């Protein structure tokens, strides 16, 4: 009889050691080691027939229907492809990981996706390891899903699930969730690093070997990272994050990794009693409460998420601090970036903020990471300090260098077009950006220095 051995595995990064450690030397996590038993198994690696010999690139034939549209344009946009609803959607034989906070709407989104695919006579197998068939039926009735092509299979054993996948050969398989299923080949409990890694490997081989698209749901840790080993994100073809503010009704679907499309692409949804509803014009959503009679410290920037331009409002509040060290608080933008902008304002235009608290906030809970928001942040701070109002019909885009120059940004034509669609009369852009075509209905103001942008944008 084979001797059973044990090892300790870090549940945060997958680091293995022969004995227990309080702190992981790989990722620095405390109390993350769990004992797992291992036993050598016979024929653990089955022989795989060589059905695909080496082929020349020109001899490889492509299926005309390589992608399968979900009929949800925002989801198709994030999954990648060409023009939305024409050549975008789920790639056949791909493995997609959808991760998000508890209760954010992951299961709801995929159940709605399954219902839409079934309308196109696609066969969908929903493997639920966390809910019973009756619970899924209740949610489907609430979402108005009625179809004969959707199969619900409450199961936690991956070997049994794989058998039905190979027998039914569905167009799409949904696994809810990767942390709740287990394989008999691993002795540890479900949710451990070894189980997640092996289950993902089996699903990946099934997707590629059977040419079946598989979407798995993943949990996230309290730090916001995907639970399980980091290799999980490397094994799958696409990683999608489902984000949202618990105080808001809208949700953001963001592509983190995509072998078949653009990364950082976003889709916007709004949660309601009937499920998730697509937001066709997210810029209008973020500017819904934008007041045309603006107050000092408010500007509109044109940010870019993937290939989609979005208009969001930046607000800044500057006030005298009663404490020796002034506070610097940033919500939705990087704090280090705000500190750099403050340093440029003090050095290049003589704005003294050494005894001022500075608060910067992106309205609507949107996270803006790109440097193109620098100029909008700077102008919001300056208008608040000087108690003047920035022109409410002017949008802003531009990166600020350390010498106070305004540097070029990408996708400038798309940004200008988006601002023009929403009724803005002017847009301030870097002088270094060259515009190929003139856009009617909006004045393009090109600036080289930050002081020039302040002079041309502030009222009065």
């Amino acid at each position: 009889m084979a001797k059973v051995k044990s090892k300790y595995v870090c549940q945060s990064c997958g680091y293995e050691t022969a004995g227990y450690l309080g702190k992981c030397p790989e990722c620095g996590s405390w109390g993350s080691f769990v004992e797992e038993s291992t036993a050598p198994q016979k024929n653990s690696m089955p022989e795989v027939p060589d059905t695909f010999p080496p082929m020349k690139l020109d001899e490889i034939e492509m299926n005309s229907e390589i992608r399968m549209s979900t009929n949800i344009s925002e989801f198709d946009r994030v999954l990648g492809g060409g023009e939305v609803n024409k050549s975008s959607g789920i790639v056949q034989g791909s493995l997609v990981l959808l991760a998000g906070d508890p209760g954010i709407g992951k299961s709801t989104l995929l159940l709605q996706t399954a219902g839409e695919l079934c309308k196109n006579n696609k066969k969908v197998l929903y493997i639920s390891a966390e809910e019973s068939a009756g619970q899924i039926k209740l949610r489907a009735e609430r979402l108005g899903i009625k179809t004969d092509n959707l199969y619900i299979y409450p199961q936690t054993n991956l070997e049994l699930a794989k058998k039905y996948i190979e027998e039914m050969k569905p167009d799409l398989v949904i696994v809810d969730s990767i942390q709740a299923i287990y394989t008999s080949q691993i002795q540890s409990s479900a949710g451990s690093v070894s189980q997640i890694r092996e289950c993902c490997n089996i699903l990946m081989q099934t997707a590629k070997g059977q040419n079946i698209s598989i979407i798995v749901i993943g949990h996230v840790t309290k730090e916001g990272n995907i639970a399980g080993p980091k290799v999980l994100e490397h094994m799958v073809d696409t990683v999608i994050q489902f984000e949202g503010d618990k105080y808001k009704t809208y949700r953001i679907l963001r592509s983190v990794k995509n072998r078949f499309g653009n990364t950082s692409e976003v889709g916007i949804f709004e949660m309601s009693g009937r499920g998730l509803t697509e937001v066709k014009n997210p810029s209008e959503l973020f500017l819904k409460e934008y007041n045309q009679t603006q107050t000092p410290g408010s500007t509109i920037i044109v940010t870019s998420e993937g290939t989609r331009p979005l208009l969001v409002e930046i607000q800044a509040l500057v006030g005298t601090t009663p404490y020796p060290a002034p506070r610097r608080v940033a919500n939705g933008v990087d704090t280090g970036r705000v500190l750099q902008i403050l340093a440029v304002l003090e050095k290049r235009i003589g704005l003294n903020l050494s005894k001022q608290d500075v608060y910067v906030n992106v309205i609507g809970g949107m996270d803006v990471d790109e440097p193109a928001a620098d100029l909008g942040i700077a102008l919001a701070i300056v208008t608040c300090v000087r108690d003047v109002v920035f022109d409410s019909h002017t949008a802003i885009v531009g990166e600020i260098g350390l010498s106070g120059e305004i540097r070029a940004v990408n996708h400038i034509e798309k940004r200008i077009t988006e601002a023009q669609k929403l009724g803005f009369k002017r847009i301030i852009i870097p002088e270094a950006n060259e515009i190929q075509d003139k856009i009617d209905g909006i004045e393009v103001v090109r600036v080289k220095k930050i002081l020039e942008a302040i002079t041309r944008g502030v009222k009065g």
Side-chain angles (χ1 to χ4, degrees), residues 199-240:
C199 288
C200 184
N201 183 44
I202 294 174
L203 290 172
M204 180 184 65
Q205 293 177 1
T206 303
K208 306 303 180 186
Q210 303 291 328
N211 196 28
I212 296 174
S213 303
I214 300 178
I215 301 179
V216 297
I217 292 178
H219 298 167
V220 297
T221 62
K222 60 182 180 180
E223 291 83 11
N225 301 319
I226 299 176
K230 196 68 177 177
V231 70
L232 175 64
E233 301 178 43
H234 294 284
M235 295 172 68
V236 300
D237 297 310
T238 305
V239 179
I240 298 175

Side-chain angles (χ1 to χ4, degrees), residues 104-333:
I104 201 71
K106 302 183 296 295
S107 301
T108 300
L109 173 63
L110 293 187
L111 193 57
Q112 286 185 237
T113 301
E116 292 295 329
L117 287 172
C118 291
K119 293 179 181 178
N120 294 341
N121 295 323
K122 302 292 185 180
K123 187 188 296 183
V124 180
L125 176 61
Y126 193 109
I127 301 172
S128 175
E130 299 181 350
E131 294 180 293
S132 65
Q135 291 174 318
I136 298 176
K137 174 69 173 179
L138 287 174
R139 182 185 289 117
E141 289 180 348
R142 178 172 59 86
L143 298 175
I145 299 175
K146 295 181 180 180
T147 178
D148 294 332
N149 292 329
L150 177 58
Y151 297 82
I152 308 299
Y153 184 41
Q155 182 58 256
T156 57
N157 185 277
L158 186 56
E159 279 75 18
L160 294 176
K162 182 182 177 182
K163 182 185 72 171
Y164 281 102
I165 293 174
E166 295 174 348
E167 290 179 359
M168 295 175 58
K169 294 190 180 301
D171 297 289
L172 175 67
V173 176
I174 298 173
V175 180
D176 186 6
S177 65
I178 189 67
Q179 280 83 10
I181 61 175
Y182 72 94
T183 173
S184 304
Q185 299 178 12
I186 304 295
Q187 301 299 318
S188 59
S189 60
S192 64
V193 168
S194 301
Q195 282 284 359
I196 294 175
R197 181 170 53 235
E198 186 63 25
C199 288
C200 184
N201 183 44
I202 294 174
L203 290 172
M204 180 184 65
Q205 293 177 1
T206 303
K208 306 303 180 186
Q210 303 291 328
N211 196 28
I212 296 174
S213 303
I214 300 178
I215 301 179
V216 297
I217 292 178
H219 298 167
V220 297
T221 62
K222 60 182 180 180
E223 291 83 11
N225 301 319
I226 299 176
K230 196 68 177 177
V231 70
L232 175 64
E233 301 178 43
H234 294 284
M235 295 172 68
V236 300
D237 297 310
T238 305
V239 179
I240 298 175
Q241 288 273 13
F242 207 22
E243 308 167 356
D245 191 339
K246 61 182 179 180
Y247 303 109
K248 302 287 185 179
T249 59
Y250 64 84
R251 305 287 187 265
I252 299 175
L253 201 63
R254 188 186 305 273
S255 173
V256 179
K257 169 193 173 182
N258 196 344
R259 289 174 178 162
F260 313 111
N262 295 324
T263 57
S264 300
E265 199 71 67
V266 297
I268 313 294
F269 296 87
E270 187 171 7
M271 178 64 79
S272 64
R274 300 287 296 175
L276 291 163
T277 306
E278 297 179 75
V279 178
K280 300 294 185 180
N281 192 345
S283 296
E284 187 175 353
L285 172 68
F286 293 128
L287 299 179
K288 185 165 54 177
E289 300 179 7
Y290 177 59
N291 189 359
Q292 293 296 329
T293 59
Q294 279 181 285
T295 57
S298 177
T299 58
I300 299 297
I301 65 169
V302 189
T303 184
S304 179
E305 294 290 341
T307 59
R308 165 181 282 182
L310 295 175
L311 273 74
V312 295
E313 182 181 356
I314 299 286
Q315 286 188 348
L317 180 62
V318 181
T320 305
T321 179
Y323 305 105
R327 299 191 65 187
R328 305 289 190 249
V329 180
N331 294 320
V333 292

Side-chain angles (χ1 to χ4, degrees), residues 17 60 71 109 206 290 300 346 368 379 390-391 416 428:
T17 179
I60 300 176
N71 288 345
L109 173 63
T206 303
Y290 177 59
I300 299 297
E346 291 189 6
V368 180
L379 293 179
F390 194 82
D391 184 12
I416 297 174
I428 297 177

Side-chain angles (χ1 to χ4, degrees), residues 49-64:
D50 187 11
T51 57
F52 298 99
M55 300 177 63
K56 294 181 180 180
L57 182 63
D58 296 337
E59 297 176 354
I60 300 176
E61 297 182 359
M62 296 293 293
N63 190 344
S64 59

Side-chain angles (χ1 to χ4, degrees), residues 360-399:
V360 177
N361 182 41
V362 179
I363 298 300
M366 186 75 181
D367 289 331
V368 180
D369 299 324
E370 64 165 351
D374 289 355
L375 186 57
I377 297 172
L379 293 179
I381 295 172
V382 170
T383 55
C384 186
V385 171
R386 297 184 177 179
D387 198 25
V388 293
V389 176
F390 194 82
D391 184 12
S392 60
H393 297 287
T394 300
I396 308 163
V397 58
E399 178 185 354

